[in-house]
Short mmCIF file of all heavy atoms in Angstrom, two decimals:
data_model
loop_
_atom_site.label_atom_id
_atom_site.label_comp_id
_atom_site.label_asym_id
_atom_site.label_seq_id
_atom_site.Cartn_x
_atom_site.Cartn_y
_atom_site.Cartn_z
N ALA A 626 20.42 0.01 -29.46
CA ALA A 626 19.16 -0.73 -29.51
C ALA A 626 18.91 -1.23 -30.94
O ALA A 626 19.32 -0.57 -31.91
CB ALA A 626 18.02 0.18 -29.06
N PRO A 627 18.25 -2.36 -31.08
CA PRO A 627 18.11 -2.98 -32.41
C PRO A 627 17.24 -2.21 -33.39
O PRO A 627 17.38 -2.38 -34.60
CB PRO A 627 17.52 -4.35 -32.10
CG PRO A 627 16.86 -4.19 -30.77
CD PRO A 627 17.68 -3.20 -30.02
N THR A 628 16.33 -1.36 -32.90
CA THR A 628 15.45 -0.61 -33.80
C THR A 628 15.45 0.86 -33.42
O THR A 628 15.79 1.24 -32.29
CB THR A 628 14.00 -1.13 -33.74
OG1 THR A 628 13.45 -0.86 -32.44
CG2 THR A 628 13.93 -2.63 -34.03
N PHE A 629 15.06 1.69 -34.38
CA PHE A 629 14.96 3.13 -34.14
C PHE A 629 14.01 3.42 -32.98
O PHE A 629 14.33 4.21 -32.08
CB PHE A 629 14.45 3.81 -35.43
CG PHE A 629 14.10 5.26 -35.26
CD1 PHE A 629 15.07 6.24 -35.41
CD2 PHE A 629 12.80 5.65 -34.95
CE1 PHE A 629 14.74 7.59 -35.25
CE2 PHE A 629 12.47 6.98 -34.79
CZ PHE A 629 13.44 7.95 -34.94
N ARG A 630 12.88 2.77 -32.99
CA ARG A 630 11.87 3.02 -31.96
C ARG A 630 12.39 2.66 -30.58
O ARG A 630 12.19 3.40 -29.60
CB ARG A 630 10.61 2.23 -32.28
CG ARG A 630 9.46 2.48 -31.32
CD ARG A 630 8.26 1.67 -31.72
NE ARG A 630 7.19 1.80 -30.75
CZ ARG A 630 6.08 1.07 -30.77
NH1 ARG A 630 5.90 0.17 -31.70
NH2 ARG A 630 5.14 1.25 -29.86
N LYS A 631 13.06 1.52 -30.47
CA LYS A 631 13.60 1.12 -29.16
C LYS A 631 14.71 2.07 -28.72
O LYS A 631 14.82 2.38 -27.53
CB LYS A 631 14.11 -0.33 -29.22
CG LYS A 631 13.00 -1.35 -29.23
CD LYS A 631 13.53 -2.78 -29.13
CE LYS A 631 12.40 -3.79 -29.03
NZ LYS A 631 12.89 -5.19 -28.92
N HIS A 632 15.51 2.52 -29.65
CA HIS A 632 16.58 3.46 -29.29
C HIS A 632 16.00 4.73 -28.67
O HIS A 632 16.44 5.17 -27.60
CB HIS A 632 17.39 3.83 -30.54
CG HIS A 632 18.38 4.93 -30.32
ND1 HIS A 632 19.57 4.75 -29.65
CD2 HIS A 632 18.34 6.25 -30.65
CE1 HIS A 632 20.23 5.89 -29.59
NE2 HIS A 632 19.50 6.82 -30.18
N VAL A 633 15.00 5.29 -29.30
CA VAL A 633 14.39 6.51 -28.78
C VAL A 633 13.66 6.24 -27.46
O VAL A 633 13.77 7.01 -26.50
CB VAL A 633 13.42 7.10 -29.82
CG1 VAL A 633 12.67 8.31 -29.25
CG2 VAL A 633 14.18 7.50 -31.08
N THR A 634 12.93 5.13 -27.40
CA THR A 634 12.19 4.78 -26.19
C THR A 634 13.12 4.56 -25.00
O THR A 634 12.91 5.10 -23.91
CB THR A 634 11.35 3.51 -26.42
OG1 THR A 634 10.40 3.75 -27.47
CG2 THR A 634 10.59 3.12 -25.15
N PHE A 635 14.17 3.77 -25.20
CA PHE A 635 15.08 3.45 -24.11
C PHE A 635 15.84 4.68 -23.65
O PHE A 635 16.02 4.90 -22.44
CB PHE A 635 16.06 2.36 -24.53
CG PHE A 635 15.42 1.03 -24.83
CD1 PHE A 635 16.14 0.01 -25.44
CD2 PHE A 635 14.09 0.78 -24.51
CE1 PHE A 635 15.57 -1.21 -25.72
CE2 PHE A 635 13.49 -0.44 -24.79
CZ PHE A 635 14.24 -1.44 -25.39
N THR A 636 16.32 5.48 -24.58
CA THR A 636 17.08 6.68 -24.22
C THR A 636 16.22 7.66 -23.43
O THR A 636 16.65 8.21 -22.41
CB THR A 636 17.62 7.38 -25.48
OG1 THR A 636 18.42 6.45 -26.23
CG2 THR A 636 18.47 8.58 -25.11
N THR A 637 14.99 7.84 -23.86
CA THR A 637 14.07 8.75 -23.18
C THR A 637 13.69 8.23 -21.80
O THR A 637 13.66 8.97 -20.82
CB THR A 637 12.81 8.97 -24.03
OG1 THR A 637 13.19 9.42 -25.33
CG2 THR A 637 11.90 10.01 -23.40
N SER A 638 13.40 6.93 -21.73
CA SER A 638 13.01 6.33 -20.46
C SER A 638 14.13 6.44 -19.44
O SER A 638 13.91 6.81 -18.27
CB SER A 638 12.63 4.86 -20.67
OG SER A 638 12.35 4.22 -19.44
N LYS A 639 15.36 6.13 -19.85
CA LYS A 639 16.49 6.20 -18.93
C LYS A 639 16.73 7.64 -18.46
O LYS A 639 17.06 7.87 -17.29
CB LYS A 639 17.75 5.64 -19.59
CG LYS A 639 17.79 4.12 -19.57
CD LYS A 639 19.10 3.56 -20.07
CE LYS A 639 19.20 3.62 -21.58
NZ LYS A 639 20.33 2.83 -22.10
N ALA A 640 16.53 8.60 -19.34
CA ALA A 640 16.69 10.00 -18.96
C ALA A 640 15.67 10.40 -17.91
O ALA A 640 16.00 11.03 -16.89
CB ALA A 640 16.58 10.90 -20.18
N PHE A 641 14.42 10.01 -18.10
CA PHE A 641 13.37 10.36 -17.14
C PHE A 641 13.63 9.73 -15.78
O PHE A 641 13.56 10.40 -14.74
CB PHE A 641 12.01 9.91 -17.68
CG PHE A 641 10.87 10.15 -16.71
CD1 PHE A 641 10.34 11.41 -16.55
CD2 PHE A 641 10.36 9.11 -15.95
CE1 PHE A 641 9.30 11.64 -15.65
CE2 PHE A 641 9.32 9.31 -15.05
CZ PHE A 641 8.80 10.59 -14.90
N LEU A 642 13.96 8.45 -15.77
CA LEU A 642 14.16 7.74 -14.51
C LEU A 642 15.43 8.19 -13.79
O LEU A 642 15.51 8.13 -12.57
CB LEU A 642 14.20 6.24 -14.75
CG LEU A 642 12.90 5.61 -15.25
CD1 LEU A 642 13.11 4.14 -15.59
CD2 LEU A 642 11.78 5.76 -14.23
N SER A 643 16.41 8.64 -14.55
CA SER A 643 17.66 9.10 -13.95
C SER A 643 17.56 10.51 -13.40
O SER A 643 18.12 10.82 -12.35
CB SER A 643 18.80 9.03 -14.98
OG SER A 643 19.01 7.72 -15.44
N LEU A 644 16.84 11.40 -14.12
CA LEU A 644 16.82 12.82 -13.77
C LEU A 644 15.77 13.17 -12.72
O LEU A 644 15.95 14.12 -11.96
CB LEU A 644 16.59 13.66 -15.03
CG LEU A 644 17.72 13.61 -16.07
CD1 LEU A 644 17.28 14.32 -17.36
CD2 LEU A 644 18.99 14.24 -15.52
N THR A 645 14.68 12.43 -12.68
CA THR A 645 13.66 12.72 -11.67
C THR A 645 14.06 12.12 -10.33
O THR A 645 14.75 11.10 -10.27
CB THR A 645 12.29 12.12 -12.08
OG1 THR A 645 12.44 10.72 -12.37
CG2 THR A 645 11.72 12.83 -13.28
N THR A 646 13.63 12.77 -9.26
CA THR A 646 13.80 12.17 -7.93
C THR A 646 12.74 11.08 -7.76
O THR A 646 11.74 11.04 -8.50
CB THR A 646 13.65 13.21 -6.82
OG1 THR A 646 12.29 13.68 -6.82
CG2 THR A 646 14.59 14.39 -7.04
N ILE A 647 12.94 10.23 -6.78
CA ILE A 647 11.94 9.19 -6.52
C ILE A 647 10.60 9.82 -6.15
O ILE A 647 9.54 9.37 -6.61
CB ILE A 647 12.43 8.25 -5.40
CG1 ILE A 647 13.64 7.45 -5.88
CG2 ILE A 647 11.31 7.30 -4.96
CD1 ILE A 647 14.30 6.61 -4.81
N ARG A 648 10.63 10.89 -5.36
CA ARG A 648 9.39 11.56 -4.99
C ARG A 648 8.67 12.09 -6.22
O ARG A 648 7.44 11.98 -6.33
CB ARG A 648 9.69 12.72 -4.01
CG ARG A 648 9.93 12.28 -2.58
CD ARG A 648 10.31 13.46 -1.71
NE ARG A 648 9.38 14.58 -1.83
CZ ARG A 648 8.24 14.68 -1.15
NH1 ARG A 648 7.88 13.71 -0.32
NH2 ARG A 648 7.46 15.74 -1.31
N GLN A 649 9.41 12.68 -7.14
CA GLN A 649 8.78 13.22 -8.36
C GLN A 649 8.19 12.10 -9.21
O GLN A 649 7.06 12.22 -9.70
CB GLN A 649 9.82 14.00 -9.16
CG GLN A 649 10.21 15.33 -8.53
CD GLN A 649 11.39 15.98 -9.22
OE1 GLN A 649 12.25 15.30 -9.79
NE2 GLN A 649 11.43 17.31 -9.20
N THR A 650 8.93 11.01 -9.35
CA THR A 650 8.43 9.89 -10.14
C THR A 650 7.15 9.32 -9.54
O THR A 650 6.17 9.06 -10.24
CB THR A 650 9.49 8.79 -10.25
OG1 THR A 650 10.72 9.33 -10.71
CG2 THR A 650 9.04 7.70 -11.21
N GLN A 651 7.16 9.14 -8.24
CA GLN A 651 5.97 8.60 -7.56
C GLN A 651 4.79 9.56 -7.66
O GLN A 651 3.64 9.12 -7.79
CB GLN A 651 6.30 8.30 -6.10
CG GLN A 651 7.26 7.13 -5.90
CD GLN A 651 7.63 6.92 -4.44
OE1 GLN A 651 7.30 7.72 -3.58
NE2 GLN A 651 8.33 5.83 -4.16
N ALA A 652 5.05 10.86 -7.59
CA ALA A 652 3.96 11.84 -7.59
C ALA A 652 3.23 11.90 -8.93
O ALA A 652 2.02 12.17 -8.97
CB ALA A 652 4.51 13.22 -7.24
N VAL A 653 3.95 11.65 -10.02
CA VAL A 653 3.33 11.77 -11.34
C VAL A 653 2.88 10.41 -11.89
O VAL A 653 2.39 10.32 -13.02
CB VAL A 653 4.28 12.45 -12.35
CG1 VAL A 653 4.65 13.84 -11.87
CG2 VAL A 653 5.53 11.61 -12.58
N THR A 654 3.04 9.36 -11.09
CA THR A 654 2.68 8.00 -11.53
C THR A 654 1.48 7.51 -10.75
O THR A 654 1.41 7.68 -9.53
CB THR A 654 3.87 7.04 -11.32
OG1 THR A 654 5.04 7.56 -11.94
CG2 THR A 654 3.55 5.67 -11.90
N ALA A 655 0.53 6.91 -11.43
CA ALA A 655 -0.63 6.33 -10.74
C ALA A 655 -0.17 5.25 -9.79
O ALA A 655 0.76 4.49 -10.08
CB ALA A 655 -1.62 5.77 -11.75
N SER A 656 -0.79 5.16 -8.62
CA SER A 656 -0.41 4.18 -7.62
C SER A 656 -0.84 2.78 -8.04
O SER A 656 -1.66 2.59 -8.94
CB SER A 656 -1.04 4.53 -6.27
OG SER A 656 -2.44 4.28 -6.31
N THR A 657 -0.28 1.79 -7.36
CA THR A 657 -0.65 0.39 -7.60
C THR A 657 -2.15 0.19 -7.44
O THR A 657 -2.79 -0.51 -8.24
CB THR A 657 0.11 -0.52 -6.62
OG1 THR A 657 1.52 -0.39 -6.86
CG2 THR A 657 -0.30 -1.97 -6.79
N ASP A 658 -2.72 0.81 -6.42
CA ASP A 658 -4.16 0.67 -6.18
C ASP A 658 -4.98 1.37 -7.25
O ASP A 658 -6.01 0.85 -7.70
CB ASP A 658 -4.51 1.24 -4.80
CG ASP A 658 -3.73 0.57 -3.68
OD1 ASP A 658 -3.28 -0.58 -3.87
OD2 ASP A 658 -3.55 1.20 -2.62
N GLU A 659 -4.54 2.54 -7.68
CA GLU A 659 -5.26 3.29 -8.72
C GLU A 659 -5.24 2.55 -10.05
O GLU A 659 -6.25 2.51 -10.77
CB GLU A 659 -4.65 4.68 -8.88
CG GLU A 659 -4.89 5.60 -7.69
CD GLU A 659 -4.07 6.88 -7.76
OE1 GLU A 659 -3.05 6.90 -8.48
OE2 GLU A 659 -4.45 7.86 -7.09
N VAL A 660 -4.10 1.97 -10.38
CA VAL A 660 -4.01 1.23 -11.65
C VAL A 660 -4.91 0.01 -11.63
O VAL A 660 -5.52 -0.36 -12.64
CB VAL A 660 -2.54 0.84 -11.94
CG1 VAL A 660 -2.45 0.00 -13.21
CG2 VAL A 660 -1.67 2.08 -12.09
N TYR A 661 -5.01 -0.63 -10.47
CA TYR A 661 -5.90 -1.79 -10.34
C TYR A 661 -7.35 -1.40 -10.58
O TYR A 661 -8.08 -2.09 -11.31
CB TYR A 661 -5.75 -2.41 -8.96
CG TYR A 661 -6.77 -3.49 -8.65
CD1 TYR A 661 -6.77 -4.69 -9.35
CD2 TYR A 661 -7.74 -3.30 -7.67
CE1 TYR A 661 -7.70 -5.68 -9.08
CE2 TYR A 661 -8.67 -4.28 -7.38
CZ TYR A 661 -8.65 -5.47 -8.09
OH TYR A 661 -9.58 -6.43 -7.82
N LEU A 662 -7.78 -0.30 -9.99
CA LEU A 662 -9.16 0.14 -10.17
C LEU A 662 -9.42 0.50 -11.64
O LEU A 662 -10.51 0.22 -12.17
CB LEU A 662 -9.43 1.36 -9.28
CG LEU A 662 -9.42 1.09 -7.76
CD1 LEU A 662 -9.60 2.39 -7.00
CD2 LEU A 662 -10.49 0.09 -7.38
N ALA A 663 -8.42 1.07 -12.30
CA ALA A 663 -8.57 1.41 -13.71
C ALA A 663 -8.70 0.15 -14.56
O ALA A 663 -9.49 0.10 -15.52
CB ALA A 663 -7.38 2.24 -14.18
#
Side-chain angles (χ1 to χ4, degrees):
T628 66
F629 171 88
R630 184 180 175 188
K631 285 186 175 181
H632 172 75
V633 175
T634 299
F635 296 169
T636 303
T637 305
S638 175
K639 281 187 283 192
F641 176 78
L642 294 174
S643 299
L644 294 172
T645 53
T646 66
I647 293 173
R648 281 176 51 84
Q649 288 171 331
T650 308
Q651 291 176 352
V653 300
T654 307
S656 72
T657 298
D658 303 336
E659 291 170 339
V660 176
Y661 171 66
L662 293 176

